[in-house]
Amino acid sequence: EAQVTQNPRYLITVTGKKLTVTCSQNMNHEYMSWYRQDPGLGLRQIYYSMNVEVTDKGDVPEGYKVSRKEKRNFPLILESPSPNQTSLYFCASSLLASGVSDTQYFGPGTRLTVL
Amino acid sequence: QKEVEQDPGPLSVPEGAIVSLNCTYSNSAFQYFMWYRQYSRKGPELLMYTYSSGNKEDGRFTAQVDKSSKYISLFIRDSQPSDSATYLCAPRAGGSYIPTFGRGTSLIVHP
């Protein structure tokens, strides 16, 4: 089954404790992206990657890191989480082909709470 | 002004009603227009995709784009309780792979 998986689905942590949210897709997609979704603000892009070893900042990259060492994986790293990073996080992937690239497949989401 | 504006709702309608969901945008470079549907506690999924101005129909759903007024609409005919979700418009510019998401409109269809 074609899918994007994220782990963990729920996480409660404390300020300053480094964490990683994993994202994996099995569709051989070049493009992968991380979003955060907050009430009243909608989906905001954190980072994206056009292919292996190619990453770039989205609209709200501060406090986050990513890496793309393999095509299927795109982990999101919070080196020193703060309460304002409490949010619902989505990973997404898509093929980079005309007319097809707009079909972004989203993961199930990770609800992060930073105390 | 945000690039894409959407009324967050909620929009509450009775089953069987025709629903109109709308977005306005400010970027003239937007050429591709997507609608995503997001059920509660799930990730968004692509619902409709249109290029440039005009209408596109898929079953009970019709997407309409008016580039002259920078206005995007999604119509749902014979709405069902299973249509209850948040609908996000997501236009993007030609040559860019990155859509700009609206905040989403929450739709509630009650039996």
Side-chain angles (χ1 to χ4, degrees), chain B residues 62-80:
Chain B
T62 300
Q64 190 173 78
V65 177
D66 183 346
K67 290 187 73 179
S68 62
S69 58
K70 298 188 178 66
Y71 199 80
I72 313 165
S73 299
L74 178 70
F75 299 97
I76 306 174
R77 291 189 303 280
D78 187 24
S79 56
Q80 303 294 310

Side-chain angles (χ1 to χ4, degrees), chain A residues 8-100:
Chain A
R9 294 289 312 281
Y10 302 91
L11 180 59
I12 300 175
T13 189
V14 296
T15 299
K17 186 176 181 182
K18 181 179 177 179
L19 66 92
T20 299
V21 183
T22 64
C23 172
S24 184
Q25 50 90 7
N26 62 1
M27 297 169 278
N28 203 35
H29 285 170
E30 297 96 341
Y31 182 88
M32 296 187 74
S33 178
W34 276 103
Y35 294 88
R36 59 177 290 174
Q37 188 173 40
D38 302 288
L41 296 176
L43 275 170
R44 293 181 293 168
Q45 191 175 52
I46 303 171
Y47 269 94
Y48 65 95
S49 169
M50 305 287 271
N51 214 324
V52 175
E53 302 291 3
V54 181
T55 63
D56 209 345
K57 297 177 181 178
D59 297 322
V60 288
E62 293 77 22
Y64 304 95
K65 284 176 56 177
V66 292
S67 68
R68 187 91 182 271
K69 292 182 169 48
E70 304 165 285
K71 198 171 186 178
R72 63 182 292 128
N73 297 322
F74 190 45
L76 180 69
I77 303 155
L78 285 73
E79 294 269 5
S80 183
S82 61
N84 64 12
Q85 293 178 297
T86 293
S87 186
L88 179 59
Y89 291 86
F90 288 103
C91 180
S93 73
S94 68
L95 267 174
L96 285 182
S98 175
V100 180

